[in-house]
Amino acid sequence: MNQTLSPFAISLSQLAKDFWWTGDPWAEQVWSSLDPVLWEALNHNPVALLQEVDVDLADKEWKKEAQKLLSRYTNYINKEVQSNPRIAYFCMEFGLHESFPIYSGGLGILAGDHIRSACDLCLNFVGVGLFYRNGYFAQLIQGGRQAAGWPDYSQQPLPIDLLRSANGEPLRIAIPFKNQEMLAQAWCLKVGHARLLLLDTNLPENTEEMRNLTASLYGGGSRTRIGQEILLGIGGIRLLKAIGDRPDVYHMNEGHAAFLVVELWLRNLQKGMSPEVGLEDVRNRCVFTTHTPVPAGHDTFYWDLVNEYLGPYRRSHGLHDGTFMNMGRENPSDLSAPLSMTVLALNGARKSNGVSKLHGEVSREMFKDLGVPIGHITNGVHPTAWLAPELGDLLNTHLPEWNNKWLEPEYWAAVKDIPHKELWALRKALRKRLIEGVRARVGRKVLKENALTIGFARRFATYKRGALIFSDPERLLKILQSGVQLIFAGKAHPADIPGQEVLATVNRFARHPDFRDQVVFVPNYDAAIGRLMTQGADVWLNNPRRPREASGTSGQKASLNGNLNFSTIDGWWPEGFDGQNGWIIGDNNDWPDLDAQDKFDLESLYSTLENDIVPTFKKPKKWTAMMAHAIATCAPVFNTHRMVNDYLNQLYIKAE
């Protein structure tokens, strides 16, 4: 590569380091077409790509498309950012792109979409998280079973810069940790007008335990978890102070960040406020979102562990032994109860919410004894980050103002006027791209380009019932023989043995001679596979046990692209389903007998496939009418522009 970069190359390098581009539907086409083989080898990392390829030697057509991308970027960054409110958004994981895998699944992807929409809406926004040098884990399939690998992503070219103090030295902050302090540095990632700050404890001054807090996401046990949550909550507040950032609102996205309540409260005590006044001041500045509808999913820590890690910190402020514990106990008089991070967050927030209407109801019932209000703001997906570029082209032709209308559902009725033949051609093109992508990943020719293709991709937690469709192999085989095929992807946590067994069951069917080539498991699920599948599958299968799915967003990505959701009536789907934009599995009852629920839902799944979905697919005009209706009813409602706007008006802007 030339030592002296041209202005064109410099502009592209600047763009590559701004994750704004991950929200542009056509950006990946530009990067990948520069060198498709290298693009795949570099895990879709444009920073690394530009270190390997001289863009000034690219052909004229590529430069033309790259210049269009740069023009869209220039138009974007010239927008004016709102001055108030100043929002700090804390989350344990952020899923912005597969080339920077500091996320495990839905929570991180939602956080990535949240920060993208916040910058699209020109909010004054900063995200705070952790920099995991080994990411979550890389999934290997050996003998049909999952194995975990841990690449070191910190050795790769990444779009991040180390934060430095005024004298040019790397910024360091000190955080309480047992009877000592640990040091952290911080990295900054740009997302348009927003910033994402990532704390990192991999410093020689720290002990091995401290350094390992930012080794991997959700690794280790409760000792690692409490250390990570101290780093995120307390360390995040100290980082913002160190760089002079004074947010008006602290948004705790899940309970992992709740120790920020303690840090803010202690700062108020140091200012001379009484404990009651100090906590009320914290509440006025904090909001909280819970994503967990199952009690066992909320992080809890018992006295011995909390005292070991935070006792010296508490004693340095002259506080009695039970202070922190009581802030996070549902019943402070029960001294045997653990500290719940969710309870701590609820007690420290002026407003809290679940992530769907149903989840709000479940959360209010779960924490009814606390007496705190819990509303709901239904999740969405970033509308252009997950939109197929081919659909974007079609919308440009028929709805030219579409990308400015995400908050105007009535505008989207015009999707139904797009000619049937164009929608059907789109459907075939996206399915073909999916199948070609799957073949490239599994290394053999599988699947058929004209078959009804059902996708299932998500975390293999047992309540999601990833293997439910295989419960009656003979009946499923008949369905597949009628022109249906299944594509699966997803990871089970390395410590989740039952979840790994579900994944292994799916793999057994994918390798069985009767199902091979019509049932495929795609390994190492990431955001790239998520885009490929939600854009390309004809039907999106989702069958968790109701009401255990807080929201779910993969079906929203599918509906955004006109692909039909087939789901239990859980999470967001009770709000989205209208009888014409997809199908339901089971009923809206909450079954105490799980075996009976599984049996009922399985019959519903099979019979709907046999009697509704397969026959409808054989009628292309009826199918494309449902496609258009799915886009018109779901895309302008279940997107993060609407979601973040709801957060702005309902949580971030304090009512006078």
Side-chain angles (χ1 to χ4, degrees):
M1 193 169 186
N2 296 334
Q3 294 297 315
T4 304
L5 296 177
S6 68
F8 176 62
I10 292 173
S11 295
L12 282 173
S13 295
Q14 292 172 339
L15 172 60
K17 291 195 69 174
D18 188 335
F19 266 19
W20 167 88
W21 72 263
T22 63
D24 182 279
W26 301 277
E28 181 144 344
Q29 290 181 330
V30 175
W31 297 124
S32 64
S33 62
L34 181 60
D35 189 323
V37 174
L38 196 56
W39 178 250
E40 291 299 325
L42 295 172
N43 195 31
H44 306 170
N45 183 337
V47 177
L49 181 70
L50 294 180
Q51 292 182 1
E52 301 282 343
V53 179
D54 188 341
V55 295
D56 291 322
L57 299 179
D59 61 54
K60 291 182 179 179
E61 188 59 33
W62 186 86
K63 289 182 178 179
K64 180 180 177 182
E65 293 303 313
Q67 193 59 59
K68 290 179 182 178
L69 177 61
L70 286 170
S71 295
R72 293 195 294 273
Y73 180 53
T74 300
N75 291 337
Y76 174 84
I77 59 176
N78 286 333
K79 296 179 180 179
E80 185 175 350
V81 178
Q82 298 181 32
S83 56
N84 291 304
R86 297 163 297 180
I87 304 150
Y89 179 89
F90 285 65
C91 192
M92 188 66 87
E93 52 176 299
F94 286 86
L96 281 158
H97 193 254
E98 62 270 14
S99 63
F100 196 52
I102 56 169
Y103 64 94
S104 69
L107 179 68
I109 295 296
L110 185 280
D113 283 355
H114 193 121
I115 194 170
R116 267 192 287 251
S117 280
C119 72
D120 287 345
L121 297 175
C122 296
L123 301 188
N124 191 331
F125 195 93
V126 59
V128 180
L130 306 184
F131 174 47
Y132 307 99
R133 57 187 178 275
N134 300 129
Y136 182 41
F137 73 94
Q139 184 188 58
L140 309 172
I141 302 299
Q142 299 177 335
R145 304 189 70 84
Q146 175 182 282
W150 304 96
D152 187 348
Y153 295 103
S154 67
Q155 301 304 308
Q156 301 176 9
L158 295 171
I160 53 177
D161 294 308
L162 189 63
L163 289 183
R164 297 182 180 275
S165 58
N167 62 8
E169 293 296 317
L171 184 69
R172 297 282 192 273
I173 59 169
I175 300 132
F177 192 84
K178 299 183 177 179
N179 58 359
Q180 35 187 329
E181 286 187 322
M182 65 178 165
L183 296 178
Q185 62 186 1
W187 302 87
C188 181
L189 184 152
K190 187 179 181 185
V191 189
H193 300 299
R195 295 169 299 151
L196 174 56
L197 307 180
L198 301 170
L199 289 154
D200 176 13
T201 57
N202 189 28
L203 296 169
E205 299 93 332
N206 286 334
T207 65
E208 182 178 3
E209 181 185 10
M210 295 172 185
R211 292 197 302 272
N212 284 338
L213 295 180
T214 53
S216 61
L217 174 63
Y218 303 141
S222 58
R223 302 180 74 84
T224 298
R225 181 61 65 86
I226 194 173
Q228 289 177 329
E229 297 185 1
I230 290 169
L231 176 61
L232 177 63
I234 298 175
I237 294 296
R238 296 188 176 192
L239 172 62
L240 292 175
K241 182 181 179 183
I243 64 174
D245 202 318
R246 296 177 175 82
D248 300 305
V249 181
Y250 297 90
H251 185 170
M252 296 173 280
N253 192 46
E254 195 53 285
H256 308 126
F259 283 131
L260 71 82
V261 171
V262 174
E263 175 72 5
L264 290 173
W265 180 62
L266 293 180
R267 289 177 181 272
N268 282 345
L269 297 187
Q270 289 177 325
K271 294 176 184 177
M273 295 184 191
S274 68
E276 296 77 13
V277 172
L279 184 56
E280 187 60 28
D281 175 77
V282 173
R283 288 194 187 104
N284 284 334
R285 292 185 282 157
C286 292
V287 298
F288 170 57
T289 300
T290 175
H291 294 258
T292 311
V294 181
H298 297 266
D299 284 352
T300 58
F301 302 112
Y302 284 90
W303 157 253
D304 288 346
L305 197 63
V306 176
N307 191 51
E308 178 184 356
Y309 280 79
L310 289 175
Y313 173 59
R314 185 196 69 246
R315 289 191 292 272
S316 69
H317 289 81
L319 299 172
H320 67 78
D321 288 354
T323 303
F324 295 167
M325 297 298 296
N326 289 343
M327 293 174 73
R329 282 174 170 150
E330 289 190 64
N331 180 7
S333 64
D334 182 0
L335 300 184
S336 66
L339 181 155
S340 163
M341 296 297 284
T342 301
V343 172
L344 176 58
L346 288 167
N347 284 333
R350 72 169 183 256
K351 287 190 176 181
S352 301
N353 69 285
V355 290
S356 68
K357 182 179 179 181
L358 179 59
H359 180 231
E361 295 170 1
V362 171
S363 298
R364 286 189 290 276
E365 176 63 24
M366 192 183 308
F367 296 105
K368 61 184 177 182
D369 292 339
L370 280 181
V372 297
I374 303 175
H376 83 273
I377 294 177
T378 301
N379 280 347
V381 299
H382 188 272
T384 52
W386 299 98
L387 188 80
E390 297 91 338
L391 177 55
D393 292 336
L394 192 61
L395 293 174
N396 281 340
T397 299
H398 295 281
L399 286 80
E401 296 298 317
W402 64 274
N403 203 18
N404 298 316
K405 301 293 186 179
W406 293 110
L407 301 180
E408 301 178 29
E410 64 280 358
Y411 175 85
W412 289 84
V415 172
K416 300 175 185 180
D417 296 328
I418 297 176
H420 150 72
K421 289 184 179 180
E422 294 183 41
L423 286 171
W424 191 242
L426 171 72
R427 182 84 301 279
K428 292 195 293 184
L430 294 179
R431 187 189 315 117
K432 180 180 180 181
R433 178 155 64 80
L434 166 60
I435 291 170
E436 290 174 347
V438 170
R439 289 171 177 172
R441 283 167 171 79
V442 302
R444 59 193 179 91
K445 189 173 182 179
V446 294
L447 308 171
K448 296 177 181 178
E449 292 185 5
N450 62 348
L452 171 60
T453 303
I454 300 175
F456 180 103
R458 55 188 45 83
R459 182 166 52 96
F460 271 87
T462 52
Y463 79 87
K464 294 177 184 283
R465 300 187 296 187
L468 180 67
I469 197 171
F470 299 104
S471 300
D472 185 339
E474 292 185 4
R475 190 169 179 183
L476 175 60
L477 187 58
K478 291 179 181 178
I479 292 171
L480 296 178
Q481 290 170 345
S482 69
V484 178
Q485 55 196 12
L486 304 172
I487 303 174
F488 285 81
K491 296 178 177 180
H493 189 281
D496 182 4
I497 302 304
Q500 291 182 46
E501 289 299 323
V502 175
L503 192 154
T505 298
V506 173
N507 265 299
R508 282 198 297 273
F509 280 93
R511 299 165 66 192
H512 191 281
D514 290 343
F515 295 89
R516 187 186 302 137
D517 298 341
Q518 287 180 277
V519 176
V520 178
F521 182 87
V522 183
N524 206 26
Y525 181 49
D526 62 6
I529 294 172
R531 288 193 304 273
L532 186 69
M533 290 184 63
T534 54
Q535 292 172 6
D538 300 301
V539 171
W540 196 253
L541 178 62
N542 181 49
N543 45 236
R545 288 193 184 99
R546 175 192 161 96
R548 290 168 175 79
E549 190 73 84
S551 174
T553 57
S554 60
Q556 296 174 344
K557 300 177 182 80
S559 294
L560 169 71
N561 287 286
N563 306 329
L564 304 178
N565 206 43
F566 181 34
S567 175
T568 50
I569 314 173
D570 200 8
W572 74 281
W573 193 226
E575 300 168 59
F577 176 68
D578 70 357
Q580 301 297 321
N581 56 5
W583 297 274
I584 59 173
I585 298 169
D587 60 19
N588 59 2
N589 292 320
D590 301 334
W591 293 62
D593 185 334
L594 298 185
D595 289 338
Q597 182 181 22
D598 290 350
K599 184 177 180 180
F600 182 85
D601 288 351
L602 180 65
E603 175 57 33
S604 175
L605 191 160
Y606 284 149
S607 61
T608 303
L609 275 172
E610 294 163 339
N611 301 322
D612 295 321
I613 298 177
V614 172
T616 302
F617 185 73
K618 295 176 181 179
K619 300 174 181 177
K621 285 189 176 182
K622 185 175 180 180
W623 192 271
T624 55
M626 291 187 71
M627 284 177 57
H629 190 62
I631 296 172
T633 55
C634 295
V637 178
F638 299 100
N639 67 73
T640 44
H641 286 14
R642 185 275 310 157
M643 182 193 81
V644 172
N645 196 58
D646 285 350
Y647 276 104
L648 177 65
N649 293 316
Q650 297 179 34
L651 268 69
Y652 297 158
I653 297 175
K654 185 179 176 183
E656 297 298 333

